[in-house]
């Protein structure tokens, strides 16, 4: 960045002083002619610059403004200029690690689990909000074998919040809140023949040097609602013109990992008397 120009311009020594010096007579020397009165020379009109340093001549001010405009035209465009040209991203100094700013906002989700006993590959896969509340470490949310649901898992970020939804039971609905504490990673249960949701195709892919297609995230319990929000009630709010009209849960009923809009989240938290993140 160019250095700021000084607002003090060196003024030439007025000729008035020179004439005064030349008109002085040596001591005891009679003047041979009448000494002319010094001529007062008018200084250039000063203009206030608005900067520290007071005033400076108008002519110099105009030259400085022209020079500053020239320098500004050579600067790379900034965000405020709203130009389509992208300035080159500066390379961080080797002695100073690059810094990143997380500009993403919190996202909201809904994850389904079955609170009643059901067996898969010899394992009881039931899991309720109370089971999550009893965990003393982050719980892996595994067993997702649908690509749309998996993609939603991969879109989650640490700090996102999710509704815990009891499904495949007498009174399905939203029963509490959990937080995403670790982002998506490989779901190792997919390649374990002894696991509940073992996937032979995923195991073969790993053996062939390919990627395991399934992912999981880790969650932690945050709260259990005193007032559960049942599916019947959710459907009423999801009717045409209702606050949940476009809710993914109601549009894609079989999807086990759903997005929740911010407005939908706030509405449901208000109805349930929820406190998390508020």
């Amino acid at each position: 960045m160019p250095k700021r120009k000084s607002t003090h311009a060196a003024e030439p020594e007025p000729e008035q002083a020179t004439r005064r010096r030349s008109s002085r007579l040596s001591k005891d020397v009679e003047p041979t002619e009448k000494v002319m009165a010094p001529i007062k020379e008018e200084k250039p009109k000063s203009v206030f610059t608005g900067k520290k340093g007071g005033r400076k001549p108008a002519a110099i001010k105009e030259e400085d403004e022209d020079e500053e405009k020239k320098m500004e035209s050579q600067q790379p465009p900034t965000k405020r200029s709203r130009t389509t040209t992208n300035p080159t991203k500066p390379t961080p100094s080797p002695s100073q690690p690059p810094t990143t700013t997380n500009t993403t906002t919190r996202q909201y989700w809904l994850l389904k689990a079955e609170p009643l006993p059901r067996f898969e590959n010899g394992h009881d896969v039931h899991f309720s909000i109370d089971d999550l509340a009893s965990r003393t470490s982050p719980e892996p949310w595994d067993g997702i074998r649908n690509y749309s649901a998996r993609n939603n898992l991969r879109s989650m970020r640490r700090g996102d919040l999710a509704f815990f939804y009891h499904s495949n039971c007498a009174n399905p609905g939203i029963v509490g809140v959990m937080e995403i504490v670790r982002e998506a990673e490989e779901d190792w249960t997919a390649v374990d023949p002894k696991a509940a949701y073992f996937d032979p195709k995923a195991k073969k892919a790993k053996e062939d040097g390919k990627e395991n297609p399934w992912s999981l995230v880790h969650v932690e319990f945050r709260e259990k609602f005193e007032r559960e929000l049942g599916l019947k009630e959710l459907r009423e709010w999801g009717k045409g013109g209702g606050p949940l009209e476009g809710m993914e849960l109601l549009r894609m009923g079989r999807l086990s990992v759903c997005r929740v809009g911010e407005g939908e989240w706030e509405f449901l938290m208000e109805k349930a008397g929820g406190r998390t993140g508020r």
Side-chain angles (χ1 to χ4, degrees):
M1 179 176 181
K3 294 181 179 179
R4 177 179 292 180
K5 295 178 181 296
S6 171
T7 57
H8 301 281
E11 296 184 8
E13 186 178 2
E15 294 181 4
Q16 176 185 352
T18 304
R19 291 193 181 94
R20 285 175 181 169
R21 283 197 293 272
S22 64
S23 64
R24 291 173 185 160
L25 299 176
S26 302
K27 186 177 182 181
D28 301 330
V29 177
E30 292 290 335
T32 58
E33 59 182 2
K34 186 177 179 180
V35 179
M36 295 179 62
I39 300 174
K40 184 177 181 181
E41 183 153 330
E42 187 178 352
K43 294 182 179 181
K45 186 178 180 181
S46 298
V47 178
F48 183 65
T49 64
K51 298 180 180 180
K52 185 178 180 181
R55 299 176 178 269
K56 61 179 178 180
I60 298 176
K61 174 180 178 292
E62 292 175 357
E63 292 177 1
D64 286 353
E65 287 180 346
D66 293 340
E67 184 66 19
E68 288 175 359
K69 290 179 180 178
K70 182 178 178 182
M71 295 300 295
E72 288 176 0
S73 65
Q74 297 174 355
Q75 297 299 316
T78 62
K79 291 181 180 180
R80 187 168 292 183
S81 68
R82 300 191 180 186
T83 178
T84 56
T85 304
N86 293 324
T88 304
K89 186 176 181 180
T91 303
S93 170
S95 60
Q96 183 177 6
T99 57
T100 57
T101 303
N102 183 8
T103 60
T104 59
T105 57
R106 171 175 278 171
Q107 302 175 98
Y108 301 99
W109 309 90
L110 181 147
L111 286 77
K112 297 179 181 179
E114 300 178 30
L116 300 180
R118 186 174 69 81
F119 288 84
E120 287 282 348
N121 198 22
H123 296 273
D124 186 354
V125 295
H126 86 276
F127 193 73
S128 69
I129 185 74
D130 294 325
D131 292 321
L132 180 61
S134 68
R135 298 295 192 264
T136 57
S137 61
E139 178 72 10
W141 200 270
D142 56 18
I144 301 301
R145 300 294 180 263
N146 173 280
Y147 284 101
S148 295
R150 180 211 64 181
N151 291 343
N152 281 343
L153 285 180
R154 291 182 176 182
S155 298
M156 293 178 180
R157 296 294 176 261
R158 186 167 61 89
D160 287 357
L161 297 176
F163 285 129
F164 195 116
Y165 184 96
H166 280 171
S167 67
N168 198 20
C169 58
N171 298 301
I174 298 172
V175 296
V177 176
M178 51 190 159
E179 182 175 343
I180 313 303
V181 295
R182 281 172 55 182
E183 297 177 9
E185 58 189 75
E186 179 184 358
D187 183 351
W188 61 85
T189 66
V191 296
D192 180 3
K194 296 182 180 180
Y197 293 103
F198 169 62
D199 181 3
K201 292 182 179 179
K203 184 175 186 299
K204 186 177 187 306
K206 288 285 288 185
E207 292 172 347
D208 293 341
K210 299 178 182 179
E211 180 187 19
N212 176 358
W214 306 117
S215 302
L216 59 79
V217 296
H218 284 75
V219 301
E220 285 184 352
F221 172 83
R222 288 297 174 260
E223 72 172 301
K224 181 179 179 179
F225 294 150
E226 294 183 4
R227 176 180 183 263
E228 298 181 3
L229 304 176
L231 178 58
K232 183 178 179 180
E233 196 171 21
L234 297 175
R235 284 174 174 165
E236 285 295 320
W237 292 325
K239 290 181 177 179
L244 304 182
E245 181 180 7
M247 191 172 185
E248 191 170 73
L249 168 70
L250 303 177
R251 291 188 295 104
M252 306 176 67
R254 295 182 63 83
L255 193 63
S256 61
V257 181
C258 305
R259 286 184 177 271
V260 177
E262 184 176 358
E264 297 166 348
W265 178 273
E266 291 297 335
F267 173 80
L268 293 170
M269 288 291 284
E270 184 70 25
K271 291 296 184 181
R275 303 177 303 277
T276 304
R278 308 183 77 194

